[in-house]
Amino acid sequence: VGGIPRDTSDDQFRDYFTQFGEISDHIVIKDNSGISKGFGFVTFASSEGADECIKHKAEGHIVNGKSVEVKRAIPRDAEPDQREKNTKMFLGGLNRNTNEDQIKEYFETKFNCQVESVDLIYEKKDQVEPGREPQRRGFGFVTINDFDIVDHLCVIRTHHIDGKDVEVKKATPKGNTGGGGGGRRQLVLLIYD
């Protein structure tokens, strides 16, 4: 949570967020003299509480009389390049028989979102025997134009799609070094630090 008024107490901070669900932990980050640095963290007892809080972003969050910015926290152990905003996700380890419609249905049904595109990667035509059609390679990309949902999906990381555990992480353009997915790396939303 960013943009918290500096005079906000831990209790005021907690009290605001309890409307979305049970809170298991909360903290307003303070400097050495005990003055708020203007941001904090809330941990909900269930994912439903966090989801409700994120959904409420459209209406705005007001803490201690000031509009604040709420984002889903990304684990500290995430790689630095996993902290960027992105709407395109890499899916690795797909069943080679899984099609675009199955992937779209999985995300839209289970996570109540709108999938803009599904791009499955196929073998290159020049690398298959003559007369045989290129087959799916077991990975692809999904675009969902909602940063919060994409962050949530990537934090979950492993999704069971069409009978297989599939790794889901944010995609980056070709040319970035390291990572899996044919030179693609995972990116995750930046958090105040």
Side-chain angles (χ1 to χ4, degrees):
V1 180
I4 301 167
R6 303 228 180 244
D7 62 345
T8 302
S9 70
D10 284 330
D11 288 341
Q12 289 171 313
F13 185 66
R14 180 200 63 235
D15 290 347
Y16 173 76
F17 288 100
T18 58
Q19 68 183 296
F20 303 106
E22 182 183 345
I23 293 177
S24 59
D25 194 18
H26 68 283
I27 186 168
V28 174
I29 304 301
K30 299 177 176 91
D31 64 17
N32 291 337
S33 47
I35 298 172
S36 169
K37 289 186 172 186
F39 70 98
F41 297 91
V42 175
T43 304
F44 288 91
S46 70
S47 60
E48 290 82 13
D51 292 343
E52 282 302 312
C53 184
I54 293 293
K55 285 179 191 173
H56 194 75
K57 280 175 66 168
E59 298 158 34
H61 289 283
I62 309 291
V63 175
N64 199 15
K66 184 177 177 199
S67 178
V68 298
E69 182 178 11
V70 173
K71 299 182 199 177
R72 192 174 301 274
I74 304 303
R76 279 189 176 263
D77 61 354
E79 295 179 24
D81 64 346
Q82 296 177 346
R83 298 184 175 271
E84 299 294 327
K85 289 185 177 184
N86 198 351
T87 58
K88 188 173 185 178
M89 301 179 298
F90 168 80
L91 278 62
L94 287 165
N95 181 327
R96 290 177 185 251
N97 295 321
T98 302
N99 64 39
E100 290 86 345
D101 289 337
Q102 290 169 298
I103 293 169
K104 182 176 180 176
E105 180 182 346
Y106 169 80
F107 288 110
E108 289 184 346
T109 302
K110 188 160 184 173
F111 298 98
N112 193 28
C113 64
Q114 182 67 43
V115 172
E116 290 210 352
S117 66
V118 177
D119 299 304
L120 297 179
I121 306 306
Y122 287 77
E123 298 170 317
K124 295 181 181 174
K125 285 190 179 206
D126 62 352
Q127 294 178 338
V128 297
E129 300 167 14
R132 185 172 74 84
E133 288 296 313
Q135 301 296 308
R136 294 181 192 103
R137 294 183 56 199
F139 69 94
F141 301 90
V142 173
T143 302
I144 299 172
N145 268 349
D146 186 319
F147 294 122
D148 293 318
I149 290 174
V150 170
D151 287 339
H152 177 64
L153 295 171
C154 292
V155 167
I156 293 171
R157 193 165 179 103
T158 303
H159 295 261
H160 197 72
I161 302 173
D162 194 25
K164 279 199 79 182
D165 284 340
V166 176
E167 179 183 22
V168 175
K169 57 186 181 177
K170 291 189 182 177
T172 60
K174 282 185 179 179
N176 288 10
T177 58
R184 299 172 191 273
R185 294 189 72 172
Q186 180 174 355
L187 297 176
V188 181
L189 184 63
L190 178 65
I191 305 197
Y192 297 100
D193 202 24

